[in-house]
């Protein structure tokens, strides 16, 4: 009897001990608490019922706080062309259900006060717009001239739209049509109307939600630890991963978005799917290869490549698949594709700085991470941290592939070394302790000192940053209450998405970098960001608002996102279990914060011809003992040559990790960049709210800090820009650069004076016409320019490209520039609007050396100028411009 009582007592005590352990706090802040068995945030709570069931009472507060004050703009042809940045319409909705007449291009300067009471859910409201100023210019001039001097030909008018930040309005100008935000004039009275439903609410969003496993995941790895919340979210992610495999055995991007996207699938494969679904990962990657055996750059800004240029993320995934599978056939195919791609990129993207040009990797929504004045030409010219780190690693990978295949590798090793050096020389911010976001500008580039999370993380993971810099990045980078924001500080007036947003997949890469450095405080913060969101939302959303941690309120979002679930899975495999796949096996380096200590087991893990059961005991980032099948090993490594079932035991040293800490800070916003104009010899601008002073830059260099809104230019020539600086030191983007003195130095060559003039009926060109260049018409062009003085000149082209919208598609035109038979670089002519051939703009410029007298200029369509369409590579050429600078 005493034995039975003692046994029962022991069972009760073990149960109580387990309950106590399950309720253990893993992370706590003023905003939320993450416990081993749940999450608490305000009156929202997540409970772990079992490792296959979670409940959440989470309710978004977005609809409860919906303002009656509406900020919006009107748009012609889905472009931000009514007012300059920072100038918008405002109105306050009362009980009425329609607006007063709003006249296009006219606004009240006064901004109304924020009303106390909020707008009810599902409130119907009709906007009424008078377009007579636009139609008047059409009749008088044949075009409408916008505030920035751009012209919309009468024949190019498609529709008028409304953009804004109050749901269902969106500031995504490029998708206004898709979102049903076009205004119509059905009765022909000249007043265009649109009825919307503000503050749309689904009653189901107010109900308590449950996730319960409903998919067979028995063939997948199983994970058990002393943190039930981690175990349950691991299983939820496994289930969502199975649901995201399409019938054609490719990986679906998300619940709302079908298809395979190069960067999405590549970052996801590197995180998790190379080892979870290697064959599906292979099929998915091969979907992103052109018939010419080049990697596909997905549809993007200005017609994709080369404005967007991070297609080499593909290499990260391809190499990881090889390391997991040791598939030599795959290695050969991947090598050929990557070699072809990198050779083209070297021709098209490499810049004088030693860096590569092109848009930020994954941050591909222009004004979300760039100043609004930057067009697609400017984005191509910019040189981004994350994109350059990816290009560096692609060359490292190609050199390793070449060695394994017995191919020449030296050139790729040299290019990788050059890129690594350029990143560290050009982008490192010594005072801040991390890398700059990008080099940007127009003809003279300068650093944007913003923090860019993904780029910083990749720089650590791929060893671009040395050990000292990696440690500084992790301890000094700004970390906000709900996680690591994509960029910091935030951009004013831009709604949450990449700006003011946290993306779990980016957070996951950041966590991997933090784990590599061994910073426990930063890792606890990062893990909490992942598990809070997954637990409260009961799915792997793509993003959430940095300000409040809500999945509602970003510009677009989807549940069951591929790269978010991949990040969730990677926290177990790559952090807690510490898997690092090598060419010949798996190296193990678990990183376990003390709060996550205890026993954890990953079972049924298939690796080559082996099935592994891996047990990790303890905490810290140092291994005390590493055993395979009970035999202690000298190194924590499992060979790919092993077969059969094996048990791995990793005993941690229970050591303290880095005490450097983390820079936990409030989420802050920089000032708006000034809108600068030239008046005689002075730069002038309106004072910016929140700005304490202004930095004046000449040719990319800071020359003076001033407190007033005016600065006199004393030089004859130079490119000038101004930024606003807050008293707390946060600096805005620079204003659109002004090339002072260019007008007096410029000379123009009308292309039709030396080449066959097109008979197309477009307008707004200069001179007597323009010249067409396509895949079959004027594919290669030669003109002669004459200058009176030898020297260095800026050379660019005035062009139009109406083959697609300015924000997406794949028809960016390219031509290689030769001057006096010397190859200079690639002119990029992004799309400017579907069928908007009368919308003209300038290409990127090059500094070229010209002789006195006659100089030959060639514009050739070379093989490496093949865009992602492969068939359409068209542009109209109006002028060639020369500006003497030296």
């Amino acid at each position: 009897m005493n034995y039975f009582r003692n046994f029962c007592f022991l069972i009760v005590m073990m149960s109580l001990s387990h309950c106590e352990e399950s309720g253990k706090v893993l992370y706590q802040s003023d905003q939320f608490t993450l416990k081993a068995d749940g999450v608490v945030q305000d009156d929202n709570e997540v409970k772990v019922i079992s490792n296959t069931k979670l409940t959440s009472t989470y309710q978004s507060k977005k609809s409860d706080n919906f303002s009656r004050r509406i900020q919006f703009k009107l748009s012609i042809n889905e472009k931000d062309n009514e007012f300059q940045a920072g100038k918008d319409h405002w109105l306050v909705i009362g009980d009425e259900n329609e607006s007063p007449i709003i006249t296009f291009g006219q606004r009240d300067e006064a901004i109304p006060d924020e009303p106390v009471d909020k707008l009810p859910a599902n409130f119907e409201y009709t906007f009424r717009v008078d377009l007579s100023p636009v139609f008047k210019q059409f009749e008088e001039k044949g075009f409408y001239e916008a505030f920035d001097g751009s012209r919309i030909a009468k024949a190019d008018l498609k529709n008028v739209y409304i953009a804004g930040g109050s749901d269902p309005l969106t500031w995504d100008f490029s998708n206004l049509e898709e979102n049903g935000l076009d205004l119509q004039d059905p009765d022909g009275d000249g007043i265009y109307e649109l009825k919307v439903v503000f503050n749309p609410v689904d009653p189901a969003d107010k109900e308590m939600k449950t996730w319960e496993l409903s998919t067979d995941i028995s063939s997948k790895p199983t994970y058990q630890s002393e943190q039930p919340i981690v175990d349950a979210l691991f299983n939820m992610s496994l289930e969502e991963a199975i649901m995201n495999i399409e019938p054609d055995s490719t990986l679906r991007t998300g619940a709302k978005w079908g298809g395979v996207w190069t960067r999405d699938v590549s970052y996801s494969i590197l995180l998790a799917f190379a080892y979870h679904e290697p064959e599906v990962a292979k099929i998915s990657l091969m979907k992103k290869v052109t018939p010419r055996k080049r990697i596909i750059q997905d549809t993007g800004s200005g017609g994709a490549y080369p404005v967007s240029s991070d297609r080499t993320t593909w290499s990260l995934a391809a190499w990881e698949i090889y390391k997991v599978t040791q598939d030599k056939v795959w290695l050969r195919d991947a090598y050929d594709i990557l070699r072809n791609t990198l050779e083209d990129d070297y021709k098209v993207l490499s810049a004088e700085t030693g860096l590569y040009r092109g848009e930020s990797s994954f941050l591909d929504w222009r004004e979300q991470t760039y100043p609004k004045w930057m067009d697609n030409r400017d984005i191509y010219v910019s040189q981004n941290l994350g994109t350059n780190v990816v290009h560096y690693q692609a060359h490292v990978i190609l050199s390793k592939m070449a060695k394994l295949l017995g191919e020449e590798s030296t050139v790729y090793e040299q290019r990788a070394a050059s890129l690594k050096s350029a990143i560290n020389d050009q982008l490192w911010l010594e005072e801040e302790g991390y890398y700059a976001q990008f080099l940007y500008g127009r003809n003279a580039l300068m650093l944007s000192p913003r923090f860019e999370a993904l780029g910083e993380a990749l720089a650590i993971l791929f060893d671009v940053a040395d050990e000292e810099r990696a440690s500084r990045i992790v301890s000094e980078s700004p970390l906000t209450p709900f996680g690591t924001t994509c960029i910091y500080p935030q951009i004013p007036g831009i709604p949450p998405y990449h700006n003011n947003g946290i993306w779990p997949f980016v957070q996951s890469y950041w966590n991997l970098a933090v784990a590599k450095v061994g910073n426990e405080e930063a890792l606890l913060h990062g893990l909490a960001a992942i598990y809070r969101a997954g637990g409260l939302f009961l799915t792997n959303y793509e993003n959430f608002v940095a300000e409040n941690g809500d999945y509602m309120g970003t510009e677009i979002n989807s549940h069951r996102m591929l790269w978010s679930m991949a990040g969730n899975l990677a926290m177990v495999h790559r952090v807690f279990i510490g898997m690092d796949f090598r060419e010949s096996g798996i190296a193990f380096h678990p990183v376990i914060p003390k709060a996550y200590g205890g026993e954890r087991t990953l079972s049924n893990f298939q690796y080559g011809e082996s099935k592994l059961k891996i047990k990790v005991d303890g905490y810290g980032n140092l291994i005390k003992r590493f055993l395979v099948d009970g035999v202690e090993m000298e190194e924590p490594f499992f060979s790919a040559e092993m077969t059969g079932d094996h048990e791995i035991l990793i005993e941690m040293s229970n050591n303290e990790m880095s005490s450097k800490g983390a820079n936990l800070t409030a989420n802050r916003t920089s000032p708006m960049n000034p809108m600068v104009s030239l008046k005689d010899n002075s730069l002038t601008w309106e004072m910016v709210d929140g700005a304490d002073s202004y930095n004046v830059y000449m040719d990319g260099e800071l020359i003076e800090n001033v407190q007033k809104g005016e600065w006199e230019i004393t030089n004859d020539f130079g490119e000038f820009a101004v930024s606003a600086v807050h008293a707390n030191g946060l600096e805005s983007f620079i204003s659109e650069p002004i090339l002072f003195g260019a007008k007096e130095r410029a000379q123009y060559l009308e292309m039709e004076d030396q080449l066959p003039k097109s008979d197309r009926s477009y307008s707004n060109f200069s001179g007597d016409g323009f010249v067409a260049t396509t895949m079959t018409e004027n594919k290669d062009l030669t003109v002669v320019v004459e200058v009176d003085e030898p020297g260095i000149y800026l050379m660019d082209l005035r062009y139009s490209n109406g083959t697609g919208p300015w924000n997406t598609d794949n028809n960016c035109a390219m031509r290689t520039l030769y001057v006096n038979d010397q190859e200079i670089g690639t002119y990029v002519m992004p799309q400017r609007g579907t069928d908007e051939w009368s919308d003209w703009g300038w290409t990127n410029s090059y500094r070229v050396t010209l002789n006195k007298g006659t100089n030959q200029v060639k514009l050739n369509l070379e093989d490496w100028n093949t865009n992602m369409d492969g068939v359409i590579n068209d542009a109209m050429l109006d002028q060639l411009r020369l500006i003497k600078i030296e």
Side-chain angles (χ1 to χ4, degrees):
M1 182 66 70
N2 289 337
Y3 174 81
F4 178 73
R5 286 177 179 172
N6 290 339
F7 177 77
C8 289
F9 176 75
L10 179 62
I11 294 297
V12 170
M13 291 305 294
M14 289 176 62
S15 177
L16 290 173
S17 175
H18 178 72
C19 289
E20 183 179 344
E21 186 67 24
S22 294
K24 179 181 178 182
V25 172
L26 302 176
Y27 179 85
Q28 190 164 28
S29 69
D30 293 339
Q31 287 73 29
F32 67 93
T33 299
L34 172 67
K35 299 186 294 183
D37 63 351
V39 183
V40 177
Q41 179 180 319
D42 301 326
D43 55 353
N44 305 301
E45 186 173 7
V46 177
K47 290 184 178 180
V48 179
I49 308 304
S50 71
N51 65 357
T52 60
K53 185 175 182 180
L54 294 165
T55 62
S56 173
T57 63
Y58 185 79
Q59 293 183 14
S60 171
K61 303 294 185 185
K62 180 171 179 281
S63 64
D64 299 338
N65 299 308
F66 202 100
S67 177
R68 289 180 177 272
R69 187 174 66 168
I70 308 298
Q71 180 183 9
F72 64 98
K73 270 183 179 176
L74 302 173
S75 162
I76 298 175
N77 293 354
E78 297 186 282
K79 294 182 179 179
D80 187 358
N81 50 18
E82 187 185 19
F83 304 119
Q84 67 182 26
K87 305 291 186 182
D88 303 306
H89 294 286
W90 294 84
L91 59 80
V92 173
I93 299 176
D95 296 328
E96 76 283 358
N97 291 95
E98 67 177 21
S99 74
I101 300 296
I102 302 156
T103 302
F104 190 97
Q106 299 177 19
R107 58 183 287 273
D108 189 342
E109 293 288 338
I111 299 176
D113 294 333
E114 175 71 49
V116 175
D117 61 324
K118 303 302 179 183
L119 194 68
N122 301 317
F123 189 90
E124 291 188 352
Y125 193 77
T126 299
F127 286 95
R128 300 184 296 158
V129 175
D130 178 6
L131 281 183
S132 58
V134 176
F135 291 124
K136 182 179 180 182
Q137 285 200 35
F138 281 160
E139 293 306 314
E140 293 176 351
K141 305 177 181 179
F143 58 83
Y144 175 78
E145 186 165 350
F147 71 91
D148 59 356
S150 62
R151 294 177 176 181
I152 301 139
K154 181 178 180 180
D156 289 346
L157 175 67
K158 299 184 187 70
N159 218 330
V160 62
Y161 304 85
I162 186 167
S166 300
D167 199 11
L169 304 186
T170 174
W171 287 114
D172 180 9
F173 284 87
S174 56
N175 287 303
L176 298 176
E177 177 82 30
E178 182 179 319
N179 284 285
L181 296 174
D182 51 315
L183 293 97
Q184 303 293 333
D185 181 17
D187 57 8
D189 65 354
I191 303 301
Y192 284 68
E193 297 183 354
L194 173 67
K195 179 185 285 187
V196 300
V197 178
F198 278 123
N199 197 13
V201 174
D202 182 349
D205 292 336
K206 300 294 183 181
E207 300 172 358
M208 186 176 81
K209 296 177 177 61
T210 299
W211 167 77
E212 188 166 11
L213 183 67
S214 59
T215 302
D216 181 8
I217 60 171
S218 60
S219 64
K220 303 301 178 185
T222 60
Y223 179 72
Q224 186 174 2
S225 70
E226 295 178 17
Q227 296 83 42
I229 185 70
V230 177
D231 304 355
L233 291 175
F234 180 83
N235 288 332
M236 183 187 78
S237 298
L238 283 179
E239 178 178 54
E240 292 195 335
I242 292 172
M243 295 169 70
N244 271 36
I245 298 177
E246 299 279 42
D248 65 351
S249 295
T250 60
L251 291 164
R252 182 181 179 88
T253 301
K256 292 184 180 179
W257 300 308
V260 182
W261 293 76
T262 302
R263 72 172 66 91
D264 298 52
V265 80
S266 297
Y267 281 128
S268 302
I269 289 170
L270 177 56
L271 283 169
F273 289 102
Y275 51 86
H276 265 283
E277 298 287 352
E279 294 307 313
V280 173
K282 288 179 185 177
I283 295 169
S284 299
L285 283 188
M286 293 309 292
K287 285 278 188 180
K288 306 309 297 181
V289 178
T290 71
R292 298 172 60 246
K293 283 198 167 186
R294 268 75 170 173
I295 302 165
I296 292 174
Q297 182 74 49
D298 291 315
T299 57
S301 301
Y305 184 80
V307 176
S308 298
S309 60
D310 69 339
R311 58 180 177 167
T312 42
T313 52
W314 189 95
S315 68
L316 312 178
W319 179 238
E320 197 69 12
I321 290 171
Y322 172 72
K323 289 191 294 181
V324 170
T325 64
Q326 287 85 47
D327 183 341
K328 289 294 175 62
V329 175
W330 171 259
L331 180 67
R332 167 52 70 179
D333 289 343
Y335 169 80
D336 291 340
I337 293 163
L338 183 56
R339 180 196 57 206
N340 295 340
T341 301
L342 292 189
E343 289 299 334
D344 285 359
D345 285 354
Y346 183 73
K347 288 281 194 179
V348 175
L349 302 176
S350 54
E352 292 179 355
T353 58
L355 297 171
Y356 275 36
R357 300 182 179 94
E359 193 167 44
S360 304
S361 182
F362 122 85
L363 300 171
D364 60 344
W365 189 336
R366 297 146 303 279
E367 66 271 17
Q368 281 283 333
T369 47
Y370 293 91
K372 281 196 170 185
W373 57 261
M374 285 182 72
D375 59 23
N376 290 318
R377 157 216 34 192
D378 298 317
I379 292 174
Y380 164 73
V381 169
S382 69
Q383 298 161 33
N384 167 260
L385 170 63
T387 301
N388 272 277
V389 174
V390 168
H391 281 290
Y392 160 77
Q393 186 66 5
H395 282 86
V396 170
I397 288 169
L398 186 59
S399 68
K400 290 181 177 181
M401 288 180 169
K403 288 179 180 178
L404 288 170
L405 293 168
E407 302 280 358
E408 173 57 40
S409 64
T410 305
V411 64
Y412 306 115
E413 292 171 348
Q414 292 173 344
R415 289 178 186 174
S418 177
L419 264 171
K420 180 177 179 177
S421 177
I423 293 167
N424 281 293
D425 292 344
Q426 300 285 340
L427 297 178
W428 178 252
L429 300 170
E430 180 60 31
E431 185 175 341
E432 288 80 358
Y434 49 79
Y435 293 101
Q437 177 186 19
F438 45 59
L439 287 169
Y440 73 125
R442 186 153 290 160
N443 300 299
L445 303 185
M446 58 174 289
L447 288 171
S448 166
R450 275 182 165 81
F451 162 82
E452 189 242 300
L454 182 60
E456 310 288 350
L458 297 179
I460 294 172
L461 292 171
F462 299 151
D463 295 320
V464 171
D466 61 25
E467 189 172 329
E468 180 184 352
R469 286 188 173 181
S471 178
R472 288 193 65 191
I473 291 168
V474 168
S475 62
E476 297 180 38
S477 293
L479 307 181
T480 63
F482 289 101
T484 308
T485 54
C486 294
I487 60 169
Y488 187 98
Q490 311 312 318
I491 306 170
I494 302 297
Y497 185 60
H498 295 140
N499 184 62
N500 197 22
I502 296 169
W503 289 54
F505 102 88
V506 175
Q507 183 71 64
S508 298
Y509 275 103
W510 176 257
N511 290 354
L512 295 180
V514 170
K516 180 177 179 179
V517 169
N519 186 311
E520 185 166 13
E521 184 178 348
L523 185 56
L524 284 168
H525 173 269
L527 291 169
I530 295 286
Y531 295 135
R532 180 204 72 91
L536 287 173
F537 309 152
L538 298 182
T539 185
N540 289 288
Y541 267 104
E542 181 166 52
N543 52 61
F544 52 88
V545 180
E547 199 66 38
N548 56 26
D550 192 2
Y551 71 90
M552 295 187 70
T554 63
E555 283 286 77
I556 53 175
N557 208 350
S558 175
H559 61 290
R560 214 178 78 223
M561 282 300 295
L562 188 71
W563 45 16
S564 299
M565 67 183 75
N568 208 315
L569 295 170
M571 294 306 94
V572 167
H573 291 90
R574 296 193 180 276
V575 179
F576 297 138
I577 303 298
M579 290 180 166
D580 180 9
F581 294 91
R582 308 284 177 86
E583 293 95 314
S584 58
I586 310 174
F588 288 86
H589 185 195
V591 182
I592 304 169
K594 190 173 183 178
Y596 287 80
E599 293 185 0
R600 66 199 68 244
T601 303
L602 182 72
S603 306
N604 196 36
F605 183 79
Q606 191 70 41
Y607 174 64
E609 298 299 319
S610 297
K611 185 179 291 184
L612 306 182
K613 180 179 180 181
I614 308 162
K615 180 180 177 181
V616 182
D617 189 11
Y619 63 88
N621 63 345
L622 299 177
I623 294 174
K624 182 179 180 182
R625 290 203 309 158
F626 183 86
L627 296 86
V628 178
D629 300 327
V631 179
E632 187 168 353
M633 301 288 153
E634 291 186 7
E635 297 293 333
F637 187 82
F638 183 84
S639 172
E641 296 178 357
M642 301 279 280
T643 61
D645 294 355
H646 299 280
E647 293 190 9
I648 295 173
L649 172 62
I650 305 174
E651 293 182 8
M652 302 302 294
S653 294
N654 293 340
N655 64 290
E656 299 294 328
M657 288 192 274
S658 169
S659 58
K660 281 201 169 184
N663 180 19
L664 303 179
T665 185
N667 188 32
R668 292 190 173 94
T669 301
S670 72
M672 179 77 75
N673 62 269
M675 301 297 162
V676 179
S677 58
L678 183 64
K679 184 178 181 181
D680 298 325
N681 288 347
S682 293
L683 303 173
T684 63
W685 60 91
E686 293 182 15
M687 305 300 276
V688 174
D689 289 344
D692 182 64
S693 63
Y694 302 88
N695 285 337
V696 180
Y697 294 89
M698 175 181 168
D699 295 334
E701 300 292 333
L702 175 64
I703 54 174
E704 190 170 354
N705 177 267
V706 300
Q707 279 70 46
K708 57 185 180 180
E710 184 177 6
W711 190 82
E712 184 179 359
I713 299 174
T714 57
N715 303 73
D716 294 332
F717 182 79
E719 187 165 83
F720 294 88
V722 180
S723 69
V725 184
H726 194 277
N728 61 15
L730 295 181
E731 185 177 3
S732 75
F733 284 128
I734 58 169
S735 61
E736 182 170 10
I738 292 174
L739 192 58
F740 180 76
K743 185 176 181 181
E744 295 76 15
R745 297 171 176 231
Q747 66 182 80
Y748 299 88
L749 169 68
E750 294 292 340
M751 299 297 283
E752 71 278 7
D753 287 350
Q754 296 190 29
L755 297 165
K757 182 169 69 173
S758 173
D759 60 0
R760 294 165 175 82
S761 58
Y762 306 144
S763 61
N764 294 335
F765 51 83
S766 65
D768 293 329
F770 52 89
V771 174
T773 176
T774 74
M775 296 280 282
T776 57
E777 180 183 3
N778 298 320
K779 180 180 174 182
D780 299 331
L781 302 169
T782 301
V783 295
V784 173
V785 297
E786 294 192 5
V787 294
D788 295 332
E789 298 180 48
I792 298 176
Y793 289 74
L794 287 176
M795 181 182 291
D796 57 3
L797 297 168
R798 190 168 187 251
Y799 81 99
S800 73
N801 180 349
T803 60
W806 61 273
N807 66 298
T808 186
D809 221 329
N810 56 8
N811 298 324
C812 182
M814 287 178 274
R815 297 295 184 272
T816 296
L817 170 66
Y818 297 86
V819 175
N820 296 327
D821 293 325
Q822 179 183 355
E823 183 182 339
I824 304 299
T826 298
Y827 274 137
V828 172
M829 294 169 276
Q831 299 160 187
R832 299 184 62 83
T834 303
D835 297 327
E836 294 180 43
W837 290 100
S838 299
D839 183 341
W840 302 85
W842 293 97
T843 66
N844 54 304
S845 65
Y846 283 104
R847 295 169 182 258
V848 300
T849 300
L850 297 181
N851 304 318
K852 180 180 179 179
T854 299
N855 296 267
Q856 185 185 70
V857 175
K858 293 181 179 179
L859 301 171
N860 290 357
L861 179 57
E862 304 289 4
D863 183 61
W864 57 83
N865 296 142
T866 303
N867 61 19
M868 294 300 102
D869 182 275
V871 176
I872 300 173
N873 199 324
D874 302 353
M876 304 299 125
L877 304 180
D878 184 23
Q879 293 177 314
L880 183 149
R881 178 172 61 179
L882 297 172
I883 301 173
K884 191 173 189 303
I885 57 175
E886 292 182 27

